[in-house]
Amino acid sequence: MKNERRLSRELLRGTGLSPLDAARLIRNLSDCKKNHLGRGTLNAVADSDIYRMGLEKQAGRERSVPFREAVERYVSTKSQLTRRRTNDERRQVLLRVLRAVPEWIEQPIRDWTTAQCRTALAEGFSSVHGRNKGVVQLKGLFRFARQQEWCEDDPMSRISQEKVREQELVLLGPPQIGRLLLMCNRIGYRDCAAAVGLMLWAGIRPTEVARLRWSDIDLQEGVAYLPPQHSKTGGARQVTLQPVLIRWLRPLRPSSYGTPAAAQIPITPRDWVRYWRNLRTEAGLQPWRPDTLRHTFASYHLKYFGDLSLLQKEMGHSSLRQLRTRYLNMRGITAAMAEAFWKGRIDENGFYPPAKRQRRK
């Protein structure tokens, strides 16, 4: 008995536990194993395995970081590898996730569950497109977290993007196009005219046209060059400038056009996003769907030229699939309207037919 007491004191030395505390701890551990593992596993081998797994779990917790910190470090790391627009979208999407579930952002990222991820997506985004963007960014975040050994499981592996039901494209009709072009001639919006022309008659996206300089526009060759760093998809492309667009752009050229100084002159004015939004509003084009001018260009192009492969090249698509599924329905666009669009016969009242030639007497 004395030897057992002496041994217990030696074992507990430095732990701060009394023999009674140690006995209670052992009893609690034994009861816990019985409740979770059954009576048949109460042996030294099982104790060793349980202890090892517990240590690994605890070590993993100590290596992990709060979800908020994981987001910050992920965004910071990726910002050095991707373009500014991509970085901005990543930051905005993940900030919405953080705001949606503030009660969980200090929780270690390794403890996040699939259910929590679903809740964050549902609370942070009201549209299918928004939730799908959230899925993409959260998947990237958890891949990064696993690379950093902040977590072992990937709760986003059980979540997929939702199927998007495509809506019929919204195109601008003749009066709307006329009002938009008329607005470009008003004081305060003249600096937007070149960008509007490139979006309408060349199908260039608003974010792409904002990166263009006048040195990217070759009126003599009739082309606009979009370098890889300016294109949304990251690939360079060359867009044809139709005669109507060349006529529109010529009087808008800066005095230094054709010289090295033109490389520093942007197509769009400063604060382009605000100017473009106000221009649409004053032209009576609200509500506005993204890429409406690009869709208008594509539909009128296909109606007039009738060449899917040519349109694919002009728009920079990698395949014809999207064009075949979305742009073959050109409801409301007549051949006469398409001709007027590409001939530039447009005023504030819409398209007008060519003047009839008077017969000589």
Side-chain angles (χ1 to χ4, degrees):
M1 192 68 171
K2 292 181 179 180
N3 291 335
E4 292 177 356
R5 290 177 178 175
R6 188 182 307 112
L7 179 60
S8 65
R9 286 195 296 270
E10 290 293 329
L11 289 173
L12 296 176
R13 181 179 296 174
T15 65
L17 294 175
S18 68
L20 181 58
D21 290 335
R24 287 173 176 167
L25 178 61
I26 294 172
R27 179 60 183 269
N28 289 339
L29 290 173
S30 177
D31 290 343
C32 183
K33 288 197 300 180
K34 288 179 181 179
N35 293 334
H36 289 85
L37 303 177
R39 297 179 178 274
T41 59
L42 298 179
N43 53 61
V45 174
D47 290 345
S48 177
D49 289 341
I50 294 169
Y51 183 69
R52 176 182 54 78
M53 289 187 290
L55 287 178
E56 292 175 355
K57 183 78 172 179
Q58 183 61 31
R61 286 182 178 276
E62 293 175 356
R63 283 196 304 268
S64 190
V65 297
F67 184 82
R68 171 193 49 77
E69 182 180 340
V71 169
E72 293 171 354
R73 292 170 66 172
Y74 172 62
V75 169
S76 176
T77 301
K78 287 296 184 180
S79 66
Q80 304 171 24
L81 305 174
T82 52
R83 294 181 301 172
R84 180 177 177 179
R85 183 172 181 272
T86 305
N87 295 335
D88 290 344
E89 180 174 291
R90 180 186 300 113
R91 184 181 299 105
Q92 291 169 7
V93 169
L94 291 175
L95 280 176
R96 293 189 68 171
V97 172
L98 293 177
R99 295 192 193 104
V101 286
E103 67 275 19
W104 294 338
I105 62 176
E106 296 302 329
Q107 178 179 320
I109 191 171
R110 69 175 294 113
D111 293 340
W112 267 60
T113 65
T114 299
Q116 286 176 302
C117 291
R118 292 188 191 279
T119 300
L121 291 169
E123 295 292 332
F125 307 94
S126 58
S127 68
V128 174
H129 284 286
R131 287 192 293 275
N132 284 345
K133 287 184 178 181
V135 169
V136 171
Q137 297 304 333
L138 282 177
K139 283 181 178 291
L141 170 65
F142 278 96
R143 280 196 301 270
F144 178 76
R146 294 185 70 186
Q147 291 170 358
Q148 304 301 314
E149 297 185 348
W150 294 338
C151 62
E152 297 173 355
D153 187 31
D154 180 4
M156 287 301 298
S157 63
R158 293 174 284 278
I159 300 178
S160 302
Q161 294 189 43
E162 300 176 45
K163 185 176 181 180
V164 179
R165 296 182 62 183
E166 296 287 358
Q167 299 178 342
E168 186 173 348
L169 296 180
V170 175
L171 311 178
L172 293 188
Q176 296 169 310
I177 295 174
R179 292 200 305 271
L180 182 66
L181 297 179
L182 180 66
M183 191 62 59
C184 292
N185 291 322
R186 293 190 179 179
I187 296 176
Y189 293 116
R190 289 174 183 170
D191 290 343
C192 300
V196 171
L198 288 165
M199 292 188 294
L200 179 64
W201 284 304
I204 299 176
R205 299 176 178 91
T207 52
E208 293 174 335
V209 80
R211 303 185 188 111
L212 290 180
R213 301 290 184 266
W214 275 100
S215 57
D216 299 319
I217 308 299
D218 192 332
L219 295 178
Q220 185 174 354
E221 290 293 324
V223 294
Y225 300 100
L226 277 76
Q229 65 271 24
H230 293 175
S231 172
K232 175 185 176 182
T233 57
R237 78 178 190 270
Q238 180 176 297
V239 181
T240 303
L241 304 180
Q242 297 295 335
V244 61
L245 180 53
I246 294 176
R247 292 197 302 272
W248 178 265
L249 292 174
R250 274 206 174 108
L252 303 173
R253 291 174 297 177
S255 58
S256 61
Y257 179 76
T259 68
Q264 305 302 321
I265 303 177
I267 294 291
T268 57
R270 290 185 178 180
D271 204 2
W272 158 242
V273 174
R274 180 175 64 85
Y275 272 106
W276 176 222
R277 181 178 61 249
N278 292 344
L279 190 157
R280 300 193 309 260
T281 301
E282 293 195 31
L285 302 178
Q286 295 293 353
W288 181 266
R289 286 192 188 176
D291 286 333
T292 293
L293 287 190
R294 182 169 166 84
H295 298 154
T296 299
F297 158 81
S299 298
Y300 279 96
H301 191 286
L302 189 56
K303 185 69 176 183
Y304 187 71
F305 297 101
D307 190 332
L308 270 174
S309 297
L310 175 62
L311 180 57
Q312 176 195 352
K313 181 181 79 69
E314 299 290 355
M315 298 191 73
H317 288 176
S318 58
S319 71
L320 290 173
R321 181 178 179 276
Q322 186 175 4
L323 292 177
R324 289 185 183 279
T325 56
R326 303 204 70 193
Y327 293 101
L328 288 182
N329 180 15
M330 294 167 285
R331 182 183 301 176
I333 302 178
T334 65
M337 289 170 56
E339 182 180 5
F341 177 86
W342 290 108
K343 298 296 183 183
R345 300 196 300 267
I346 311 171
D347 60 19
E348 63 271 23
N349 297 315
F351 299 162
Y352 56 87
K356 294 182 179 180
R357 293 183 180 180
Q358 295 183 353
R359 295 182 181 178
R360 293 182 180 179
K361 295 182 179 179

